[in-house]
Amino acid sequence: KGIEQELREQQSYTRGLIESNIDALMTTDTLGIITDVNKQMCAVTGRSREELIGTPFKDYFTEPQRAEDGIRKVLTEGRVTNYELTIRDKEGHETVVSYNATTFTGADGSLRGVFAAARDITDQKRLEGQIREQNRELIETTTFVNNILESSTEYSIIAMDLDCQILAWNEGARRNYGYDAEEMVGKQDARILHTREDIHSGRVQEMLDTVYRTGKGEAVFERVRKDDQHFTAAVAVTLRKNADGTPIGYVLISKNITEQRLLEEQLHRKNEELEEQYRRVQEANRLKSEFLANMSHELRTPLNAIIGFAELMHDGKVGPVSGEHKEYLNDILTSSHHLLQLINDVLDLAKVESGKMDFRPEPVDMPKLIGEVWDIVRALAATKRMKIDIRVDERVSGVVADPMRLKQILYNYLSNAVKFTPDSGHVHIRVLPEGGERFRLEVEDNGIGIRPEDMGRLFTEFQQLDASSAKKYPGTGLGLALTKRIVEAQGGEVRVNSTPGVGSTFYAVLPRVFKAMTEAEADRRRSAPDSGLSQATILVIEDNPQDRAWIVETLSAGGYAVVPVPTAEEALARCRDRAFDAITLDILLPDGSGWHVLRQIRAGGPNQRTPVVVLTVLSEAQRDFGFLAQDFLTKPAAAEDLLAALQRAGLQPDGSPKVLVVDGDEATLRHAADALSQAGYHPVCRRDGESALLAAADERPVAVILDLLRPGGDGFAFLERFRQSPAGRRAVVIIWTDSDLAGEDAARLLESAQAVVGKQQGGTAAVLAELRACLAGQDGDG
């Protein structure tokens, strides 16, 4: 009885150990039928002990066959360790477990079954997966950083420890200093790259001390190459720290700025010369305008006398004259009136420029005023058998303006229409409403028309469109320029639509009631005429009135439409409202810095990718602005430099975007050029990669259409070099090829090109469709 009691106690103790185990425990017979389980096994399967005992071991796993094979392996080998299986409970929840199993025998030594322990390793597997993912990301990040370091050929990137022993050396360092990485890494002190003067003076150590204390530092140093030649470099040093934040070394990034320094010195000297010349020109122009504005009486008085006495003689009021003398007197009168008109135009132009033109507004009867002007040119129109139509919209009423200036505007438009319209032509004069507060005075003819390339010179003083026209159609080239100034001085604007060989429509938009203009309003009106031919529009951000006027006049004469603003606030408002083709930006603005304006523009909106030309007196501004700006000009800039900067940005006055076509086949180039021209683009065609790269640098195309096989035999090489150039950083690239691309080639293209079009799949129409889509998508970014 004592032995039985002891045995029961032993069994109870053993059972307690089994039930308290954190592992799922079970026993099976040699056929794999469960004979016993503990509580943890019931929990992990979601079943009671009674439900489990007597059922096949394999039924509770996601891979029943593998579970059964595990039992057989234990029976065969006597032991199994770390055998992974997945248990699925009643609700379908799965638990990954690691099985360790062994056989057990009876008292007689015979094999009775299998004892198995299953430990939940779900969290362990998840942790292992996270570790693998982190290792993969670390490897990718390390590879990515190494690729960046090695691909940076313009910048030297050097890592070193706290004692300045070199630990890393990129390709840019090799090019700039002449040492290979094998010569430097782990073998040299970075101080050998400094001049002895900088080391002995303590500049180098002072720089390192600053970096150690603050975490970073910048300076300009003379650097020493392997061949002992010196160059100037901008150097930036950053402190390296380990995971605990303990300093462990430095990263040094430098760029050779020797040529930049030389150019800055040359530009500074040139700018000083130009500034002095500009001051002289401005003073001479001011004196000229004042002189002409004050010469009205002295110039007109003798000419009026000549005209008056000649008319008396011509009309026979001082005695009879012969027919021959009358003809001579008529020539004198004609020439005198022409000379008087020229003097009046010059004086009026000078008055507008000097701000001395007076306006005497009064209620105007538009039909009567038009009739009076028509009477002046009626004789010339009659000799050419021309028809005239006059229409004054009844909605245009209550006009208060200076009738003399209004007649001057209409006369200039009308006399040009009669002059440039062939015999039996037709001229229309219209007065139409333009919104609620303005009206439009319009003159349309069916004359010779105006070429698109001549539009920019229409309203420029003393310019006629070509020499042949000057001979056939006499004139001074002042009429339209004066018209533009008179209209803008009243708060209006001039415009023109024209088609060569079909005719032209000139019109002026004026306020119905004249009012004096503020300087800011005058600036906004001083824009190039809207030719109706998609002129490129430039936003001019400049607070200085003289500089702003010069920029506007320069761009207008160059054929661009201009929108001038004097403040940062107004500039940002305009940039939010619409997209411009280019922007000129002054750094020093009264209500903020140009840097702030440029960052806001680049942050998003319709002008995020618009080329920006910085005009500033700060020659060092380029270092601060980096790649945010397209170009930098130091004031005072020459007109040709400003226009050249816009050309480098790929901007044409007529707004036609430049597209570079690179293909070795001459016939393909001609066909592509015709298609692009008809679609409104400006084609730039090249047959090989080298000339294409040069063209890209000069022309700054918005897009490139490239045959991979033909430019020099390797379009991939061209594409890689193009993307590394300033012209290629933002341009759209479309691959146009008859080659089948797959695998590695396709992957390479995805890194640099926006689209691939087969030459046999739709021809140039497919390329144009893709080009429009890509450029539209680019405009929509941001």
Side-chain angles (χ1 to χ4, degrees), residues 393-467:
D393 194 298
E394 61 183 13
R395 291 173 294 175
V396 180
S397 60
V399 175
V400 177
D402 186 327
M404 183 184 74
R405 300 304 178 191
L406 207 54
K407 287 181 182 179
Q408 200 170 358
I409 295 167
L410 180 58
Y411 174 78
N412 285 331
Y413 279 168
L414 189 56
S415 61
N416 273 351
V418 173
K419 182 193 304 183
F420 293 103
T421 300
D423 292 354
S424 302
H426 208 147
V427 174
H428 301 268
I429 303 174
R430 306 184 188 95
V431 179
L432 304 170
E434 185 86 1
E437 298 182 356
R438 301 200 297 173
F439 72 95
R440 185 169 73 222
L441 179 61
E442 182 176 284
V443 177
E444 179 184 359
D445 64 62
N446 62 343
I448 61 174
I450 303 162
R451 297 177 301 177
E453 59 267 29
D454 290 330
M455 284 290 188
R457 297 189 291 129
L458 270 179
F459 294 91
T460 304
E461 294 87 344
F462 301 105
Q463 287 202 25
Q464 287 190 291
L465 298 187
D466 56 54

Coordinates of all heavy atoms in Angstrom, one line a residue, residues 393-467:
D393 N -19.7 100.3 -82.3 CA -20.7 99.6 -81.5 C -21.5 100.5 -80.6 O -20.8 101.4 -79.9 CB -20.0 98.5 -80.7 CG -21.0 97.5 -80.2 OD1 -21.8 97.9 -79.3 OD2 -20.9 96.3 -80.5
E394 N -22.8 100.4 -80.6 CA -23.6 101.3 -79.8 C -23.4 101.2 -78.3 O -23.7 102.1 -77.5 CB -25.1 101.1 -80.1 CG -25.6 99.7 -79.8 CD -27.0 99.5 -80.2 OE1 -27.6 100.4 -80.9 OE2 -27.6 98.5 -79.8
R395 N -22.8 100.0 -77.9 CA -22.5 99.8 -76.5 C -21.3 100.7 -76.0 O -21.1 100.8 -74.8 CB -22.2 98.3 -76.2 CG -23.5 97.5 -76.4 CD -23.1 96.0 -76.2 NE -22.3 95.6 -77.3 CZ -21.7 94.3 -77.4 NH1 -21.9 93.5 -76.5 NH2 -20.9 94.1 -78.5
V396 N -20.5 101.2 -77.0 CA -19.4 102.0 -76.6 C -19.9 103.5 -76.5 O -20.1 104.2 -77.5 CB -18.2 101.9 -77.6 CG1 -17.1 102.8 -77.2 CG2 -17.8 100.5 -77.7
S397 N -20.1 103.9 -75.3 CA -20.6 105.3 -75.1 C -20.0 105.9 -73.9 O -19.3 105.2 -73.1 CB -22.2 105.3 -74.9 OG -22.5 104.5 -73.8
G398 N -20.1 107.2 -73.8 CA -19.5 107.9 -72.6 C -18.0 107.9 -72.6 O -17.4 107.9 -71.6
V399 N -17.3 107.9 -73.8 CA -15.9 107.9 -73.9 C -15.4 109.3 -73.6 O -15.8 110.3 -74.2 CB -15.4 107.5 -75.3 CG1 -13.9 107.7 -75.4 CG2 -15.8 106.1 -75.6
V400 N -14.5 109.4 -72.6 CA -13.8 110.7 -72.2 C -12.3 110.5 -72.5 O -11.7 109.7 -71.7 CB -14.1 111.1 -70.8 CG1 -13.4 112.3 -70.4 CG2 -15.6 111.2 -70.6
A401 N -11.8 111.2 -73.5 CA -10.4 111.0 -73.8 C -9.8 112.3 -74.4 O -10.6 113.2 -74.7 CB -10.2 109.8 -74.7
D402 N -8.5 112.3 -74.7 CA -7.9 113.4 -75.4 C -8.2 113.2 -76.9 O -7.6 112.3 -77.5 CB -6.4 113.5 -75.1 CG -5.8 114.7 -75.7 OD1 -6.2 115.1 -76.8 OD2 -4.8 115.2 -75.1
P403 N -9.0 113.9 -77.5 CA -9.4 113.7 -79.0 C -8.2 113.8 -79.9 O -8.1 113.0 -80.9 CB -10.5 114.7 -79.3 CG -10.3 115.8 -78.3 CD -9.8 115.1 -77.0
M404 N -7.3 114.7 -79.6 CA -6.1 114.9 -80.4 C -5.2 113.6 -80.4 O -4.8 113.1 -81.4 CB -5.3 116.1 -80.0 CG -4.1 116.3 -80.9 SD -3.0 117.7 -80.3 CE -2.2 116.9 -79.0
R405 N -5.0 113.0 -79.2 CA -4.2 111.8 -79.1 C -4.9 110.6 -79.7 O -4.3 109.7 -80.3 CB -3.9 111.5 -77.6 CG -3.1 112.7 -77.0 CD -1.8 113.0 -77.7 NE -1.1 114.1 -77.1 CZ 0.0 114.7 -77.6 NH1 0.4 114.4 -78.8 NH2 0.6 115.7 -77.0
L406 N -6.2 110.6 -79.5 CA -7.0 109.5 -80.1 C -6.9 109.5 -81.6 O -6.8 108.5 -82.3 CB -8.5 109.6 -79.6 CG -9.3 108.3 -79.6 CD1 -8.6 107.2 -78.8 CD2 -10.7 108.6 -79.0
K407 N -7.0 110.7 -82.2 CA -6.9 110.9 -83.6 C -5.5 110.4 -84.1 O -5.3 109.8 -85.1 CB -7.1 112.3 -84.0 CG -8.5 112.8 -84.0 CD -8.6 114.3 -84.4 CE -10.0 114.8 -84.4 NZ -10.1 116.2 -84.8
Q408 N -4.5 110.8 -83.3 CA -3.1 110.4 -83.6 C -3.0 108.9 -83.6 O -2.3 108.3 -84.6 CB -2.2 111.0 -82.5 CG -0.7 111.1 -83.0 CD 0.1 111.9 -82.0 OE1 -0.4 112.4 -81.0 NE2 1.4 112.0 -82.2
I409 N -3.6 108.2 -82.7 CA -3.5 106.7 -82.7 C -4.2 106.2 -83.9 O -3.6 105.3 -84.6 CB -4.2 106.2 -81.4 CG1 -3.4 106.6 -80.2 CG2 -4.3 104.7 -81.5 CD1 -4.2 106.4 -78.9
L410 N -5.4 106.6 -84.2 CA -6.2 106.1 -85.3 C -5.5 106.4 -86.6 O -5.4 105.6 -87.5 CB -7.6 106.7 -85.3 CG -8.5 106.2 -86.4 CD1 -8.6 104.7 -86.5 CD2 -9.9 106.9 -86.3
Y411 N -4.9 107.6 -86.7 CA -4.2 108.0 -88.0 C -3.0 107.1 -88.2 O -2.8 106.7 -89.4 CB -3.8 109.5 -87.9 CG -2.9 109.9 -89.1 CD1 -3.5 110.2 -90.3 CD2 -1.5 110.0 -89.0 CE1 -2.7 110.5 -91.4 CE2 -0.8 110.3 -90.1 CZ -1.4 110.6 -91.3 OH -0.6 110.9 -92.4
N412 N -2.2 106.8 -87.2 CA -1.1 106.0 -87.4 C -1.5 104.6 -87.9 O -0.9 104.0 -88.8 CB -0.3 105.9 -86.1 CG 0.6 107.1 -85.9 OD1 0.9 107.8 -86.8 ND2 0.8 107.4 -84.6
Y413 N -2.5 104.0 -87.3 CA -3.0 102.7 -87.7 C -3.6 102.8 -89.1 O -3.3 101.9 -90.0 CB -4.1 102.2 -86.7 CG -3.6 101.6 -85.5 CD1 -4.5 101.3 -84.4 CD2 -2.3 101.3 -85.3 CE1 -4.0 100.8 -83.2 CE2 -1.8 100.7 -84.1 CZ -2.7 100.4 -83.1 OH -2.3 99.9 -81.9
L414 N -4.4 103.8 -89.4 CA -5.1 103.9 -90.6 C -4.2 104.2 -91.8 O -4.3 103.6 -92.9 CB -6.2 105.0 -90.5 CG -7.2 105.1 -91.7 CD1 -7.9 103.7 -91.9 CD2 -8.2 106.2 -91.4
S415 N -3.2 105.1 -91.6 CA -2.3 105.4 -92.6 C -1.4 104.2 -93.0 O -1.1 104.0 -94.2 CB -1.4 106.6 -92.2 OG -0.6 106.3 -91.1
N416 N -1.0 103.4 -92.0 CA -0.3 102.2 -92.3 C -1.2 101.2 -93.1 O -0.7 100.5 -94.0 CB 0.2 101.5 -91.0 CG 1.5 102.0 -90.5 OD1 2.2 102.8 -91.2 ND2 1.9 101.7 -89.3
A417 N -2.4 101.1 -92.7 CA -3.3 100.2 -93.4 C -3.5 100.6 -94.9 O -3.4 99.7 -95.8 CB -4.7 100.1 -92.7
V418 N -3.6 101.8 -95.1 CA -3.7 102.3 -96.5 C -2.4 102.1 -97.3 O -2.4 101.7 -98.4 CB -4.2 103.8 -96.5 CG1 -4.1 104.4 -98.0 CG2 -5.6 103.9 -96.0
K419 N -1.3 102.4 -96.6 CA 0.0 102.3 -97.2 C 0.3 100.9 -97.6 O 0.9 100.7 -98.7 CB 1.1 102.9 -96.2 CG 2.5 102.9 -96.8 CD 3.6 103.1 -95.7 CE 3.3 104.4 -95.0 NZ 4.5 104.6 -94.0
F420 N 0.1 99.9 -96.7 CA 0.5 98.6 -97.0 C -0.6 97.7 -97.6 O -0.4 96.4 -97.7 CB 1.0 97.9 -95.7 CG 2.3 98.6 -95.2 CD1 2.2 99.5 -94.1 CD2 3.5 98.3 -95.8 CE1 3.4 100.0 -93.6 CE2 4.7 98.9 -95.3 CZ 4.6 99.8 -94.2
T421 N -1.7 98.3 -98.0 CA -2.7 97.5 -98.7 C -2.7 97.8 -100.2 O -2.6 98.9 -100.6 CB -4.1 97.8 -98.1 OG1 -4.1 97.6 -96.7 CG2 -5.2 97.0 -98.8
P422 N -2.7 96.7 -101.0 CA -2.6 97.0 -102.5 C -3.9 97.7 -103.0 O -4.9 97.8 -102.3 CB -2.5 95.6 -103.0 CG -3.0 94.7 -102.0 CD -2.8 95.3 -100.7
D423 N -3.8 98.1 -104.3 CA -5.0 98.7 -104.9 C -6.2 97.9 -104.8 O -6.1 96.6 -104.9 CB -4.6 99.0 -106.4 CG -3.6 100.1 -106.5 OD1 -3.2 100.7 -105.5 OD2 -3.1 100.3 -107.7
S424 N -7.4 98.5 -104.7 CA -8.7 97.9 -104.6 C -8.8 97.0 -103.3 O -9.6 96.1 -103.3 CB -8.9 97.0 -105.8 OG -8.9 97.7 -107.0
G425 N -8.0 97.4 -102.3 CA -8.0 96.7 -101.1 C -9.2 97.1 -100.2 O -10.1 97.9 -100.6
H426 N -9.3 96.6 -99.0 CA -10.4 96.8 -98.1 C -9.9 97.1 -96.7 O -9.0 96.4 -96.2 CB -11.3 95.6 -98.1 CG -12.7 95.9 -97.8 ND1 -13.8 95.2 -98.3 CD2 -13.3 96.9 -97.0 CE1 -14.9 95.7 -97.8 NE2 -14.6 96.8 -97.1
V427 N -10.4 98.2 -96.1 CA -10.0 98.5 -94.7 C -11.3 98.6 -93.8 O -12.3 99.2 -94.3 CB -9.2 99.9 -94.7 CG1 -8.9 100.3 -93.3 CG2 -7.9 99.7 -95.5
H428 N -11.2 98.0 -92.6 CA -12.3 98.1 -91.7 C -11.8 98.9 -90.4 O -10.8 98.6 -89.9 CB -12.7 96.7 -91.2 CG -13.1 95.8 -92.4 ND1 -14.4 95.7 -92.8 CD2 -12.4 95.0 -93.2 CE1 -14.5 94.9 -93.8 NE2 -13.3 94.4 -94.1
I429 N -12.7 99.8 -90.0 CA -12.4 100.5 -88.7 C -13.6 100.2 -87.8 O -14.7 100.3 -88.1 CB -12.4 102.1 -88.9 CG1 -11.3 102.5 -90.0 CG2 -12.1 102.8 -87.6 CD1 -11.3 103.9 -90.3
R430 N -13.2 99.7 -86.6 CA -14.2 99.2 -85.7 C -13.9 99.8 -84.3 O -12.8 99.9 -83.9 CB -14.3 97.7 -85.5 CG -14.4 97.0 -86.8 CD -14.6 95.5 -86.6 NE -14.5 94.7 -87.8 CZ -13.4 94.2 -88.4 NH1 -12.3 94.3 -87.7 NH2 -13.5 93.5 -89.5
V431 N -15.0 100.2 -83.6 CA -14.9 100.6 -82.2 C -15.8 99.6 -81.4 O -17.0 99.6 -81.6 CB -15.3 102.0 -81.9 CG1 -15.2 102.4 -80.4 CG2 -14.5 103.0 -82.7
L432 N -15.2 98.8 -80.5 CA -15.9 97.7 -79.9 C -15.8 97.8 -78.4 O -14.7 98.3 -77.9 CB -15.4 96.3 -80.4 CG -15.5 96.1 -81.9 CD1 -14.7 94.8 -82.3 CD2 -16.9 96.0 -82.4
P433 N -16.7 97.2 -77.6 CA -16.5 97.2 -76.1 C -15.5 96.2 -75.7 O -15.4 95.1 -76.4 CB -17.9 96.8 -75.6 CG -18.6 96.1 -76.7 CD -18.0 96.7 -78.0
E434 N -14.7 96.5 -74.7 CA -13.7 95.5 -74.1 C -14.0 95.5 -72.6 O -13.3 96.2 -71.9 CB -12.3 96.0 -74.5 CG -11.2 95.0 -74.1 CD -11.0 94.0 -75.1 OE1 -11.6 94.0 -76.2 OE2 -10.1 93.1 -74.8
G435 N -14.9 94.7 -72.2 CA -15.3 94.7 -70.8 C -16.1 95.9 -70.5 O -16.6 96.6 -71.4
G436 N -16.3 96.2 -69.2 CA -17.2 97.2 -68.8 C -16.6 98.6 -68.8 O -17.3 99.6 -68.9
E437 N -15.2 98.7 -68.6 CA -14.6 100.0 -68.4 C -13.6 100.3 -69.6 O -13.0 101.4 -69.5 CB -13.8 99.9 -67.1 CG -14.7 99.7 -65.9 CD -13.9 99.7 -64.6 OE1 -12.7 99.9 -64.7 OE2 -14.5 99.7 -63.5
R438 N -13.5 99.5 -70.6 CA -12.5 99.8 -71.7 C -13.2 99.6 -73.0 O -14.2 98.9 -73.1 CB -11.3 98.9 -71.6 CG -10.6 99.1 -70.2 CD -9.1 98.6 -70.3 NE -9.0 97.2 -70.6 CZ -7.8 96.6 -70.8 NH1 -6.7 97.3 -70.8 NH2 -7.8 95.3 -71.0
F439 N -12.6 100.1 -74.1 CA -13.1 99.9 -75.4 C -11.9 99.6 -76.3 O -10.7 99.9 -76.0 CB -13.9 101.1 -75.9 CG -13.0 102.3 -76.2 CD1 -12.6 102.6 -77.5 CD2 -12.7 103.2 -75.3 CE1 -11.8 103.7 -77.8 CE2 -11.9 104.3 -75.5 CZ -11.5 104.6 -76.8
R440 N -12.2 99.1 -77.5 CA -11.1 98.7 -78.4 C -11.3 99.4 -79.7 O -12.3 99.3 -80.3 CB -11.1 97.2 -78.7 CG -10.0 96.7 -79.5 CD -9.8 95.2 -79.6 NE -10.9 94.6 -80.4 CZ -11.5 93.5 -80.0 NH1 -11.3 92.9 -78.8 NH2 -12.5 92.9 -80.8
L441 N -10.2 100.1 -80.2 CA -10.2 100.8 -81.5 C -9.4 99.9 -82.4 O -8.2 99.7 -82.2 CB -9.5 102.2 -81.3 CG -9.4 103.0 -82.5 CD1 -10.7 103.3 -83.2 CD2 -8.6 104.3 -82.2
E442 N -10.0 99.5 -83.5 CA -9.4 98.4 -84.3 C -9.4 98.8 -85.8 O -10.4 99.3 -86.3 CB -10.3 97.1 -84.1 CG -9.8 95.9 -84.8 CD -10.7 94.7 -84.4 OE1 -10.5 94.2 -83.3 OE2 -11.6 94.4 -85.2
V443 N -8.3 98.5 -86.4 CA -8.1 98.8 -87.9 C -7.6 97.5 -88.6 O -6.6 97.0 -88.2 CB -7.2 99.9 -88.2 CG1 -7.0 100.1 -89.7 CG2 -7.7 101.2 -87.6
E444 N -8.5 97.0 -89.5 CA -8.1 95.7 -90.2 C -7.9 96.0 -91.6 O -8.7 96.7 -92.3 CB -9.2 94.7 -89.9 CG -9.0 93.4 -90.6 CD -10.1 92.4 -90.5 OE1 -11.1 92.8 -89.9 OE2 -10.1 91.3 -91.1
D445 N -6.9 95.4 -92.2 CA -6.7 95.5 -93.7 C -6.5 94.1 -94.3 O -6.3 93.1 -93.6 CB -5.5 96.4 -94.0 CG -4.2 95.9 -93.4 OD1 -3.8 94.8 -93.9 OD2 -3.6 96.5 -92.5
N446 N -6.5 94.1 -95.6 CA -6.1 92.8 -96.3 C -4.9 93.0 -97.1 O -4.8 92.7 -98.3 CB -7.3 92.4 -97.2 CG -7.6 93.4 -98.3 OD1 -7.3 94.5 -98.2 ND2 -8.4 92.9 -99.3
G447 N -3.9 93.7 -96.4 CA -2.6 94.0 -97.1 C -1.6 92.9 -97.1 O -1.9 91.7 -97.0
I448 N -0.3 93.3 -97.0 CA 0.8 92.4 -97.2 C 1.0 91.5 -96.0 O 1.7 90.5 -96.0 CB 2.1 93.1 -97.6 CG1 2.5 94.1 -96.4 CG2 2.0 93.9 -98.9 CD1 3.9 94.7 -96.7
G449 N 0.5 91.9 -94.8 CA 0.7 91.1 -93.6 C 2.2 91.3 -93.0 O 3.0 91.9 -93.6
I450 N 2.4 90.6 -91.9 CA 3.7 90.7 -91.2 C 4.2 89.3 -90.8 O 3.4 88.5 -90.3 CB 3.5 91.5 -89.9 CG1 2.9 92.9 -90.2 CG2 4.8 91.7 -89.2 CD1 2.3 93.6 -89.0
R451 N 5.4 89.1 -91.1 CA 6.0 87.8 -90.7 C 6.2 87.6 -89.2 O 6.4 88.6 -88.5 CB 7.4 87.6 -91.4 CG 7.4 87.7 -92.9 CD 8.8 87.6 -93.5 NE 9.6 88.7 -93.0 CZ 10.9 88.9 -93.3 NH1 11.5 88.0 -94.1 NH2 11.5 89.9 -92.8
P452 N 6.0 86.4 -88.7 CA 6.1 86.2 -87.2 C 7.5 86.7 -86.7 O 7.5 87.3 -85.6 CB 6.0 84.7 -87.1 CG 5.3 84.2 -88.3 CD 5.7 85.1 -89.4
E453 N 8.6 86.5 -87.4 CA 9.9 86.9 -86.9 C 10.0 88.5 -86.8 O 10.9 89.0 -86.2 CB 11.0 86.4 -87.7 CG 11.0 86.7 -89.2 CD 10.3 85.7 -90.1 OE1 9.3 85.0 -89.5 OE2 10.6 85.6 -91.2
D454 N 9.1 89.2 -87.5 CA 9.2 90.7 -87.5 C 8.3 91.3 -86.4 O 8.3 92.5 -86.2 CB 8.8 91.2 -88.8 CG 9.8 90.9 -89.9 OD1 11.0 90.9 -89.5 OD2 9.4 90.8 -91.1
M455 N 7.5 90.5 -85.8 CA 6.5 91.0 -84.8 C 7.2 91.8 -83.7 O 6.7 92.8 -83.2 CB 5.7 89.8 -84.2 CG 4.6 89.3 -85.1 SD 3.3 90.5 -85.3 CE 2.1 89.5 -86.2
G456 N 8.3 91.3 -83.2 CA 9.0 91.9 -82.0 C 9.5 93.3 -82.3 O 9.8 94.0 -81.4
R457 N 9.6 93.7 -83.6 CA 10.2 95.0 -84.0 C 9.2 96.0 -84.4 O 9.5 97.1 -84.7 CB 11.2 94.8 -85.1 CG 12.4 93.9 -84.7 CD 13.5 94.0 -85.7 NE 13.1 93.3 -87.0 CZ 13.2 93.8 -88.2 NH1 13.7 95.0 -88.3 NH2 12.9 93.1 -89.2
L458 N 7.9 95.6 -84.4 CA 6.8 96.5 -84.9 C 6.8 97.8 -84.1 O 6.6 98.8 -84.7 CB 5.5 95.8 -84.8 CG 5.0 94.9 -86.0 CD1 3.7 94.3 -85.7 CD2 5.0 95.8 -87.2
F459 N 6.9 97.7 -82.8 CA 6.6 98.9 -82.0 C 7.9 99.5 -81.5 O 7.9 100.1 -80.4 CB 5.7 98.6 -80.9 CG 4.3 98.2 -81.3 CD1 3.9 96.9 -81.6 CD2 3.3 99.2 -81.5 CE1 2.7 96.6 -82.0 CE2 2.0 98.9 -81.9 CZ 1.7 97.6 -82.2
T460 N 9.0 99.3 -82.2 CA 10.3 99.8 -81.8 C 10.7 101.1 -82.6 O 10.5 101.1 -83.8 CB 11.4 98.7 -82.0 OG1 11.0 97.6 -81.3 CG2 12.8 99.2 -81.5
E461 N 11.2 102.1 -81.9 CA 11.5 103.3 -82.6 C 12.5 103.2 -83.8 O 13.4 102.5 -83.7 CB 12.1 104.3 -81.6 CG 11.2 104.8 -80.5 CD 11.2 103.8 -79.3 OE1 11.7 102.7 -79.5 OE2 10.7 104.2 -78.2
F462 N 12.2 104.0 -84.8 CA 13.1 104.1 -86.0 C 13.3 102.8 -86.7 O 14.4 102.6 -87.3 CB 14.4 104.8 -85.6 CG 14.2 106.1 -85.0 CD1 14.4 106.3 -83.6 CD2 13.9 107.2 -85.8 CE1 14.2 107.6 -83.0 CE2 13.7 108.5 -85.2 CZ 13.9 108.6 -83.8
Q463 N 12.4 101.8 -86.6 CA 12.7 100.5 -87.3 C 11.5 100.3 -88.2 O 10.3 100.3 -87.9 CB 12.8 99.4 -86.3 CG 14.0 99.4 -85.5 CD 14.3 98.0 -84.9 OE1 13.9 97.0 -85.4 NE2 15.1 98.0 -83.9
Q464 N 11.9 100.0 -89.5 CA 11.0 99.4 -90.4 C 11.4 97.9 -90.6 O 12.5 97.5 -90.3 CB 11.0 100.1 -91.8 CG 10.3 101.5 -91.7 CD 10.2 102.1 -93.0 OE1 11.1 102.5 -93.7 NE2 8.9 102.2 -93.5
L465 N 10.5 97.1 -91.1 CA 10.6 95.7 -91.0 C 11.8 95.1 -91.9 O 12.4 94.2 -91.6 CB 9.3 94.9 -91.4 CG 8.2 95.3 -90.4 CD1 7.0 94.4 -90.6 CD2 8.7 95.1 -88.9
D466 N 12.0 95.7 -93.1 CA 13.1 95.3 -93.9 C 13.5 96.4 -94.9 O 12.7 97.4 -95.1 CB 12.9 94.0 -94.7 CG 11.6 94.1 -95.5 OD1 11.5 95.0 -96.3 OD2 10.7 93.2 -95.4
A467 N 14.6 96.3 -95.5 CA 15.1 97.4 -96.4 C 14.2 97.5 -97.6 O 14.0 98.7 -98.0 CB 16.6 97.0 -96.8

